[in-house]
Amino acid sequence: MVLEMSISFGLSFFCSIGVEVMVRRWRWMVCMVCGLLCLVVPARTGRCDDIVPAPVQWQVKADTIHYDQTNDVYTCQGHVRIHREGRTLTADRVRVDQKSRQALAEGQVRLLSGQDVLSGRRLELDLDTETGRLYDGALFFDDHHFYLSGREIHKTGEKTYFIEEASATSCDGERPNWELTSRNLKVTMEGYGIAKHATFRLKHVPILYSPYFIFPAKNGRQTGLLMPEAGTSDRKGDRYLQPFFWAIHRSMDATFFTDYMSLRGTRLGAEYRYVADLKSRGTLMADGFEDSKVDDRQGDNSLKWGYEDAPTDLDRPNRDRYWFRAKMDQALPGAVTAKLDLDVVSDQDYLLEFQNGFNGFERTREYYLGVFGRDIDDYNDTLRTNRLNLNRSWAGYSLNVDAAWNDNVILRRRDDQPDTTLQYLPQVTFDGTKKRIAGSALYFDLLSEYAYFHRSEGARGHRADGYPRIYWPTRPLNAFSFEPSVGLRQTVWHTEHDAFAGEGRRYDFSRTIYDARLNTSTDFFRVFNLNRAGFDRLKHTVKPQATYIYTPEQDQDDLPYFDALDRIDRENAIVYSLTNTLVARRKIAQTQGALASRYTYTPFLRFKLEQRFDINIYNQSAPEGNENERKYQPFSDVLLELDITPGRYLFLDGDARWSAYDGEFYAYNANARLGDNRGDSLSINYLFTREGDLQGGTVQNPTHSIIVSGALRISRQWLLRGDFERNIEDNRHIESTLGISYQSQCWGIDVDYTEQEAYNQSIQVMIHLLGLGAFGN
């Protein structure tokens, strides 16, 4: 059994505050304090509301207003209230000395700017140097619900500040659940902050202490250390991972990290990101290490390492282990876009061992999907795809040029087997969507391709393929749609290998084949009065559809074979289906003056039945004794699809394949999702696939599993969570997680216990602090 528990800690926690929060908080304080400087300008009347001339007008109210003409001093005293455009200053007394250019506000000083608040006992300002001091000051920033306070807050220069006995928190009340304190804090805007004797406290109890640290105080990304990770496990030993962020330029940055593992070595990694414009960006990641435990990895010892399903990629020990991946988008001249995907790994177990954590497989996949919208191959795929794509699109047409290299991780490392992995270098496609032909009743679309197939060992060659299609859509009697179409496929090959040459030393091949289709459908519907649950109408639609498909038989045995396009199977079949849908209508409350009523439509149910009848199979006789084999049965399995949404909180969907010959289900998948506004949820996914023939294919690995996940809101603060996955076919436990979350007004904590197959257990802890973010692992 492997027990792994880790949690992040360290002084970088304080540094992250400077980067993400403190800069914005100080900047807002500058804006509010500087707003006071606009209160006083030269004036020659005895009314405080004339102090600021047009166009900047302040409204001033006080019990008494006095102007000392000899000393040029304005004094407002008693319930002083100065207001301008959403900003309000209140105090017991406000005094402005025009000669010395000094301003003073004292006695319950409070400045409101929107929902942000500055308060203190006394505020002093120098109107010329724009410096000042706030005593017993406190600031509240509403956008992140954040409090900042200090015994004295000094503005010592245009961009410099000094805070004595500083405190920061996002918790309400005089006794916050957590707070950051320091004896003093010096901050230079667009520079750095220096804190002395900083302490992180829970309920005023000190937890973490740092005598001295420097943090960036700039409005943007800053170079510095990021949050570390630490832990221990039987596989890696004691572990400490420290990332470092480098802000190279406003449009590019990089992250470097060292990952020390006492039993394995030190893994080094780097990540480089850039953004050139809205359509051009890229991210490159690389990490690796020299595995000191490689001498113990002999033969297929995946069970020894706790991975029952690990690929047998350990036949050759691999001391130098690495993973390089990259994705780039680039806009080129002529409205051409380029996309590059790279994925090269030393061995498949590398992705399994570093599946989670900093720059692990899961985080890499999530990042690339979120930023580029493109996935990476799964961690257990032994074939890693590397591709360069060039695209140019017009109205209804698109041109793609691809160069794809499929890296076979297993064969690349073996000397006893040739690498026959097929590569597309290049593959060019030019496609056209369905469109009308010169105003006639005919339509056409186009698929075309050129590819050069390369192998390190084995057959190579060229292939060009063109596949136009003509459609004639009609609607007889305006009752049903009727659309015949015919396609013509022309394919030519030129090979560079004797594998296809035969006795006649033939290297050039061609194929011409046509196919025909007839698609027809109609629909019937009826609208019912409902008047339930806020819905007033229910529409029931029935749509029968049938498609006839014909492709003649053609001898293709002597043609080259690189991929599935090189063999076009004969077809003579009818695919027919029946779809039922229920859609409910709800009327939206009509606003005054609206010209027409507005409605929302909710799909309530969809039920589809589909089957295929193969005329070729029907016309041929099955070999004696094989009549009951599924491949000799002309009627395919019946496909059933069902989606039900009976309300806002419940959703059901499923699909199944049922044989009309033996009455057995050969596959089904059922999902149920239940949720409410409290945060309670339950999701169940049940999957089953029987071993044997399925729709013309053979299922080698049957599936029978269940996945359950849910959450129970115990109270407003507590949430219980759980996930469970089991392989019923093999009676094998895959993974289960039990977690509990607590969320208060200003902080939260997640604790999760996970148990995976092969006795791999882990405990994960994540602490969330409102306004600062989260830390843990």
Side-chain angles (χ1 to χ4, degrees):
M1 180 177 72
V2 179
L3 180 62
E4 184 172 354
M5 178 176 180
S6 59
I7 185 169
S8 299
F9 63 95
L11 301 181
S12 297
F13 172 76
F14 298 104
C15 298
S16 66
I17 295 171
V19 175
E20 302 293 339
V21 178
M22 296 292 289
V23 172
R24 295 191 62 189
R25 305 304 176 240
W26 284 117
R27 185 175 293 274
W28 271 102
M29 192 194 77
V30 173
C31 294
M32 289 195 292
V33 173
C34 289
L36 294 176
L37 302 178
C38 300
L39 289 174
V40 183
V41 295
R44 297 304 175 191
T45 70
R47 298 188 308 159
C48 285
D49 55 348
D50 287 336
I51 291 178
V52 180
V56 182
Q57 293 293 330
W58 290 79
Q59 298 177 353
V60 180
K61 295 181 180 180
D63 292 344
T64 61
I65 300 174
H66 180 264
Y67 172 62
D68 183 347
Q69 188 171 4
T70 303
N71 297 312
D72 201 7
V73 175
Y74 293 90
T75 303
C76 301
Q77 192 156 346
H79 301 94
V80 181
R81 185 179 186 275
I82 306 174
H83 176 77
R84 172 182 173 267
E85 295 180 355
R87 182 173 298 178
T88 302
L89 171 69
T90 61
D92 293 340
R93 182 171 178 267
V94 175
R95 182 178 184 275
V96 179
D97 189 328
Q98 289 286 66
K99 288 184 178 181
S100 64
R101 302 296 292 166
Q102 300 293 314
L104 170 68
E106 56 185 353
Q108 304 181 68
V109 179
R110 185 179 179 87
L111 175 64
L112 299 177
S113 179
Q115 297 298 319
D116 298 333
V117 182
L118 178 150
S119 61
R121 176 175 55 85
R122 179 184 176 93
L123 176 65
E124 299 174 355
L125 292 173
D126 187 305
L127 302 181
D128 290 331
T129 63
E130 297 187 357
T131 59
R133 181 176 301 186
L134 178 65
Y135 296 88
D136 297 329
L139 299 95
F140 172 71
F141 306 95
D142 180 68
D143 57 349
H144 283 78
H145 200 89
F146 202 83
Y147 298 90
L148 181 66
S149 62
R151 185 172 61 85
E152 292 186 14
I153 301 177
H154 303 254
K155 185 176 187 294
T156 57
E158 182 181 358
K159 295 183 179 181
T160 57
Y161 299 85
F162 179 81
I163 305 177
E164 297 181 15
E165 300 179 13
S167 173
T169 183
S170 60
C171 300
D172 296 332
E174 296 183 357
R175 187 178 174 83
N177 289 327
W178 69 266
E179 62 180 333
L180 269 173
T181 64
S182 63
R183 182 175 299 176
N184 58 65
L185 178 65
K186 295 181 180 179
V187 180
T188 301
M189 300 301 297
E190 300 303 323
Y192 293 88
I194 302 174
K196 294 183 179 180
H197 302 290
T199 306
F200 178 72
R201 301 173 183 268
L202 298 178
K203 289 288 188 181
H204 295 323
V205 177
I207 302 298
L208 294 175
Y209 169 78
S210 175
Y212 183 88
F213 70 89
I214 301 175
F215 62 89
K218 301 182 180 181
N219 187 21
R221 303 161 302 126
Q222 295 303 312
T223 299
L225 297 175
L226 300 178
M227 195 77 70
E229 293 182 1
T232 183
S233 72
D234 291 344
R235 291 195 297 273
K236 300 181 178 70
D238 297 330
R239 186 181 182 192
Y240 181 83
L241 187 149
Q242 178 61 66
F244 175 81
F245 178 79
W246 179 22
I248 305 172
H249 185 265
R250 64 187 299 268
S251 61
M252 65 180 66
D253 55 49
T255 302
F256 305 92
F257 71 87
T258 59
D259 183 9
Y260 169 76
M261 300 170 288
S262 61
L263 297 182
R264 308 294 293 279
T266 300
R267 185 169 64 114
L268 302 178
E271 177 179 351
Y272 172 73
R273 298 165 294 268
Y274 72 89
V275 177
D277 53 50
L278 292 177
K279 296 183 179 180
S280 303
R281 64 173 63 224
T283 300
L284 297 84
M285 304 181 187
D287 47 77
F289 69 110
E290 186 176 338
D291 197 339
S292 60
K293 210 166 185 175
V294 70
D295 295 334
D296 297 334
R297 297 161 59 86
Q298 297 176 357
D300 182 13
N301 55 2
S302 56
L303 289 176
K304 172 182 176 181
W305 283 82
Y307 303 128
E308 293 183 0
D309 292 331
T312 59
D313 193 20
L314 306 179
D315 295 336
R316 296 178 54 201
N318 186 33
R319 180 178 294 273
D320 297 323
R321 311 184 69 195
Y322 56 85
W323 185 27
F324 174 76
R325 60 274 193 202
K327 288 191 183 297
M328 303 180 193
D329 292 345
Q330 182 65 46
L332 300 176
V336 176
T337 59
K339 296 181 179 180
L340 177 66
D341 298 324
L342 299 177
D343 186 352
V344 182
V345 66
S346 60
D347 58 275
Q348 211 57 35
D349 284 348
Y350 187 95
L351 303 182
L352 194 60
E353 292 190 54
F354 299 100
Q355 184 175 355
N356 299 302
F358 187 87
N359 268 33
F361 176 84
E362 294 297 341
R363 293 192 185 180
T364 299
R365 164 177 271 180
E366 182 180 356
Y367 173 82
Y368 279 142
L369 275 174
V371 175
F372 295 90
R374 303 196 297 277
D375 201 355
I376 58 178
D377 295 321
D378 199 48
Y379 67 87
N380 57 9
D381 284 344
T382 59
L383 205 65
R384 319 299 297 181
T385 301
N386 298 265
R387 176 183 287 108
L388 172 64
N389 169 262
L390 301 177
N391 172 266
R392 174 67 164 91
S393 296
W394 299 267
Y397 295 95
S398 65
L399 173 67
N400 285 276
V401 180
D402 286 284
W405 183 270
N406 298 304
D407 182 28
N408 193 313
V409 179
I410 304 297
L411 294 180
R412 168 164 48 85
R413 298 179 54 218
R414 301 186 69 98
D415 296 329
D416 58 340
Q417 294 184 15
D419 188 352
T420 58
T421 306
L422 186 66
Q423 318 294 350
Y424 293 80
L425 299 172
Q427 183 180 34
V428 182
T429 62
F430 181 75
D431 301 330
T433 59
K434 187 176 178 181
K435 56 178 56 62
R436 186 186 295 269
I437 302 176
S440 67
L442 300 179
Y443 290 75
F444 85 100
D445 63 17
L446 172 68
L447 298 176
S448 63
E449 175 202 76
Y450 161 78
Y452 173 71
F453 302 101
H454 172 83
R455 288 187 175 98
S456 298
E457 297 288 341
R460 307 173 189 174
H462 306 258
R463 183 185 69 199
D465 181 79
Y467 185 36
R469 189 172 201 84
I470 304 296
Y471 301 84
W472 181 42
T474 61
R475 191 169 178 83
L477 304 177
N478 200 30
F480 61 93
S481 65
F482 183 87
E483 184 182 70
S485 66
V486 60
L488 181 66
R489 183 182 293 276
Q490 178 70 48
T491 312
V492 295
W493 294 263
H494 174 75
T495 62
E496 301 176 354
H497 197 274
D498 291 340
F500 305 124
E503 296 181 359
R505 313 299 296 173
R506 180 184 174 197
Y507 295 95
D508 295 305
F509 305 84
S510 66
R511 176 190 63 192
T512 302
I513 191 169
Y514 73 92
D515 67 90
R517 293 187 182 185
L518 175 60
N519 184 32
T520 181
S521 66
T522 187
D523 53 39
F524 310 92
F525 68 88
R526 181 176 178 181
V527 178
F528 300 89
N529 293 324
L530 188 59
N531 296 323
R532 290 184 180 180
F535 297 101
D536 64 343
R537 298 288 189 275
L538 181 67
K539 181 179 181 180
H540 178 205
T541 303
V542 179
K543 181 179 181 179
Q545 182 172 359
T547 302
Y548 173 71
I549 306 171
Y550 177 77
T551 302
E553 183 177 10
Q554 187 172 109
D555 184 10
Q556 303 170 71
D557 293 340
D558 61 339
L559 298 179
Y561 183 83
F562 294 104
D563 59 23
L565 185 60
D566 294 323
R567 294 294 182 268
I568 304 298
D569 294 332
R570 67 168 186 167
E571 282 190 284
N572 189 11
I574 302 174
V575 179
Y576 43 92
S577 64
L578 184 67
T579 304
N580 282 264
T581 59
L582 293 175
V583 178
R585 188 183 76 171
R586 183 197 302 268
K587 186 176 181 180
I588 302 176
Q590 191 170 357
T591 59
Q592 187 175 3
L595 299 178
S597 300
R598 297 176 58 195
Y599 300 92
T600 60
Y601 298 89
T602 302
F604 177 74
L605 178 144
R606 186 185 71 91
F607 179 54
K608 180 179 180 180
L609 295 171
E610 182 179 289
Q611 190 178 37
R612 175 189 176 99
F613 177 72
D614 195 312
I615 301 174
N616 286 330
I617 296 178
Y618 178 79
N619 290 331
Q620 72 181 20
S621 300
E624 185 176 355
N626 297 326
E627 294 84 356
N628 294 326
E629 289 190 19
R630 289 168 56 79
K631 64 181 179 179
Y632 296 116
Q633 297 170 349
F635 287 98
S636 72
D637 294 335
V638 178
L639 172 64
L640 302 93
E641 296 179 353
L642 177 64
D643 300 327
I644 305 177
T645 310
R648 292 185 299 169
Y649 306 122
L650 179 61
F651 178 75
L652 306 171
D653 73 285
D655 58 77
R657 292 187 181 275
W658 177 79
S659 173
Y661 291 95
D662 56 19
E664 297 285 345
F665 282 96
Y666 278 78
Y668 49 82
N669 175 23
N671 298 282
R673 293 188 291 276
L674 178 67
D676 59 23
N677 294 330
R678 284 179 6 116
D680 303 308
S681 64
L682 177 64
S683 174
I684 302 175
N685 181 215
Y686 188 84
L687 303 99
F688 171 79
T689 302
R690 177 175 298 184
E691 184 175 11
D693 293 333
L694 181 65
Q695 289 295 102
T698 300
V699 179
Q700 301 289 350
N701 298 312
T703 301
H704 193 188
S705 63
I706 185 171
I707 303 173
V708 180
S709 62
L712 176 63
R713 175 67 64 182
I714 303 173
S715 67
R716 292 184 60 185
Q717 290 79 28
W718 292 95
L719 180 69
L720 185 66
R721 298 172 285 104
D723 297 280
F724 175 82
E725 181 177 359
R726 184 170 187 81
N727 187 325
I728 302 175
E729 181 72 24
D730 300 331
N731 193 26
R732 182 161 52 94
H733 171 255
I734 303 299
E735 180 176 325
S736 59
T737 299
L738 182 63
I740 190 168
S741 299
Y742 174 80
Q743 181 64 57
S744 72
Q745 176 266 321
C746 60
W747 73 280
I749 183 171
D750 299 329
V751 180
D752 292 275
Y753 170 78
T754 301
E755 184 175 295
Q756 298 173 320
E757 58 181 337
Y759 309 102
N760 184 22
Q761 301 171 343
S762 65
I763 297 176
Q764 302 173 1
V765 180
M766 184 67 70
I767 298 175
H768 307 266
L769 301 178
L770 178 64
L772 298 184
F775 68 99
N777 189 35

